[in-house]
Amino acid sequence: MISIAVCDDEITECSRIAAAVKSILKDMQTPCLVRQFYSGKELLAEAKEFDLVLLDIIMEELDGMKTAELFRQKAPGKILVFISSSKAYVFDAYEVEAFWYLVKPVEPGKLRRVLERAVGKLGQKPDEFIMVSRQRQQEKLFLSDVLYFEIRGRMIYAHQQEGIIEFYQQIGILEQKLQGKGFFRCHKSYLVNLNYVRSYNRQEAILDTGEKIMISRRRYEDFCQEILRHMKEKGGIV
């Protein structure tokens, strides 16, 4: 999964770019987590968490170029893409090893080509999906979009950052479909996507979104073993 930061002090513009990135990567079947930052200072506090950063240059307080310099000190190997309303900083971008320089307003086609090249450089594989039955038709559900599945009676609720998708599925069949795909049934009512687990304790798993998912007492040891195995597989620990 690619972790992406979009940093722009204009909130509306930041949200627009983040939404475009999510839409393009979903169409590319590439798993991603996109977060928004409205200042260079906020971004630098979590710089090491991201594979790809899309950064505005003209910002108040800490401008994008200075932010990039400090970012490179913290995360030298990450991919950095500048997005600016001015072409004046193109040559300065080379000083901080920028991967690309996009000029606002960003054309969707250009953004897609940059993301395709960035994904290629990161070596990500296409996203996996399962087919679910909704409104009398079969529909693709991309697993990277799902934070966790919640089971209520005979209904399954797939919790995503953009909302919840509801469908009918026997929990046993769903659990079989998700074997080896980064999900774990940490509670009788929850199947959590391990890619989104930020931290955990004996009672709950805390996700990147801040949501808390219960861990049952009898499943805790298995959960610990599974998340450690998952981290080793994904390169999270040595």
Side-chain angles (χ1 to χ4, degrees), residues 75-133:
K78 308 298 184 176
I79 295 179
L80 176 63
V81 174
F82 280 121
I83 299 180
S84 178
S85 57
S86 172
K87 297 180 180 179
Y89 304 94
V90 171
F91 295 107
D92 294 330
Y94 290 110
E95 298 298 322
V96 290
E97 300 176 20
F99 181 72
W100 213 268
Y101 193 105
L102 292 169
V103 179
K104 297 179 182 178
V106 180
E107 296 178 17
K110 289 184 177 180
L111 179 59
R112 183 183 182 91
R113 286 193 291 275
V114 170
L115 291 174
E116 286 175 343
R117 289 168 179 169
V119 168
K121 185 173 182 180
L122 291 167
Q124 295 295 311
K125 296 180 180 179
D127 197 3
E128 294 185 281
F129 63 88
I130 59 174
M131 301 300 296
V132 299
S133 179

Side-chain angles (χ1 to χ4, degrees), residues 7-174:
C7 183
D8 194 314
D9 62 352
E10 294 184 11
I11 297 176
T12 301
E13 181 69 3
C14 190
S15 298
R16 188 188 68 78
I17 294 171
V21 169
K22 289 179 184 178
S23 177
I24 291 170
L25 290 179
K26 182 175 182 179
D27 186 53
M28 290 169 56
Q29 300 184 23
T30 300
C32 70
L33 174 65
V34 181
R35 291 185 58 191
Q36 299 176 43
F37 296 89
Y38 309 122
S39 73
K41 185 177 180 180
E42 289 179 1
L43 171 64
L44 291 171
E46 302 184 51
K48 295 181 180 180
E49 302 297 318
F50 302 101
D51 303 304
L52 169 62
V53 173
L54 290 91
L55 178 62
D56 186 26
I57 293 179
I58 303 174
M59 298 191 295
E60 295 183 1
E61 296 183 14
L62 193 63
D63 66 47
M65 201 57 67
K66 184 60 179 178
T67 298
E69 291 175 8
L70 297 172
F71 175 79
R72 275 285 172 248
Q73 294 174 18
K74 291 175 174 285
K78 308 298 184 176
I79 295 179
L80 176 63
V81 174
F82 280 121
I83 299 180
S84 178
S85 57
S86 172
K87 297 180 180 179
Y89 304 94
V90 171
F91 295 107
D92 294 330
Y94 290 110
E95 298 298 322
V96 290
E97 300 176 20
F99 181 72
W100 213 268
Y101 193 105
L102 292 169
V103 179
K104 297 179 182 178
V106 180
E107 296 178 17
K110 289 184 177 180
L111 179 59
R112 183 183 182 91
R113 286 193 291 275
V114 170
L115 291 174
E116 286 175 343
R117 289 168 179 169
V119 168
K121 185 173 182 180
L122 291 167
Q124 295 295 311
K125 296 180 180 179
D127 197 3
E128 294 185 281
F129 63 88
I130 59 174
M131 301 300 296
V132 299
S133 179
R134 298 185 68 230
Q135 301 174 349
R136 299 183 180 181
Q137 64 183 10
Q138 294 295 309
E139 183 177 316
K140 279 184 179 180
L141 179 60
F142 290 96
L143 298 182
S144 64
D145 292 338
V146 180
L147 303 170
Y148 61 95
F149 291 96
E150 181 181 6
I151 301 94
R152 300 183 204 163
R154 295 184 177 182
M155 298 304 298
I156 305 291
Y157 296 82
H159 290 256
Q160 303 174 303
Q161 293 188 70
E162 291 79 16
I164 300 173
I165 291 178
E166 175 184 342
F167 61 96
Y168 173 79
Q169 177 76 79
Q170 294 181 25
I171 184 59
I173 294 176
L174 177 62

